[in-house]
Amino acid sequence: MSEENVQIVRSAFAAFNRGDLSGVLEPLSDDLVTYRAAPFGDSHHGPDGFLEATMDWIEGFAEWSVTPEEFIDAGDRVVVRSVQEGCGEESGAPVTGVFWFVHALRQGKIVRIDIFAEEAAALEGAGIKE
């Protein structure tokens, strides 16, 4: 099942980067929880909450992208190391950051997405010991 989970998450990222909203939303459970750790520490609920968190995150950028660079199979969880790049809407300043997504899956659906700025926190959240 874990290889299948990696493929589900990989497909969701690919859909996101193609701008395929239905492909992004399809694997999300209706009771999805999206948690953004530091600096926010907030949670959003359902697929609409995921979209809200995403729109809030990219607000203020004229250009923004997320590139998944590594998928780590953690059984019922998938950890994704991603590089996010943007260009400030007003300043034009380029911004690059590495962020970690931990996707929890149940019966082929993503039920939780935790977003971390630190690798150690993401791995701990996925139950992986360094």
Side-chain angles (χ1 to χ4, degrees):
M1 182 63 95
S2 57
E3 266 186 52
E4 181 181 327
N5 289 344
V6 170
Q7 187 53 43
I8 290 167
V9 172
R10 188 182 299 273
S11 294
F13 268 93
F16 187 89
N17 285 327
R18 284 192 313 272
D20 175 6
L21 186 58
S22 64
V24 172
L25 296 176
E26 191 279 322
L28 302 181
S29 172
D30 289 340
D31 62 348
L32 171 74
V33 173
T34 302
Y35 171 71
R36 300 183 305 175
F40 300 103
D42 60 1
S43 295
H44 299 263
H45 300 277
D48 287 342
F50 168 78
L51 293 175
E52 176 185 292
T54 302
M55 295 307 295
D56 179 56
W57 184 259
I58 65 174
E59 184 178 354
F61 290 102
E63 296 175 25
W64 180 86
S65 67
V66 58
T67 304
E69 294 196 329
E70 180 180 10
F71 293 83
I72 301 169
D73 180 350
D76 65 347
R77 288 181 168 69
V78 177
V79 181
V80 182
R81 178 187 187 276
S82 71
V83 174
Q84 296 183 28
E85 298 178 290
C87 181
E89 195 169 61
E90 291 184 24
S91 69
V95 178
T96 301
V98 174
F99 293 90
W100 296 81
F101 294 79
V102 178
H103 297 76
L105 290 94
R106 183 178 61 237
Q107 299 175 335
K109 291 288 191 179
I110 299 170
V111 297
R112 185 174 178 98
I113 302 171
D114 295 333
I115 306 167
F116 299 94
E118 302 290 331
E119 177 182 16
L123 295 177
E124 181 180 323
I128 298 173
K129 305 263 190 251
E130 286 192 86

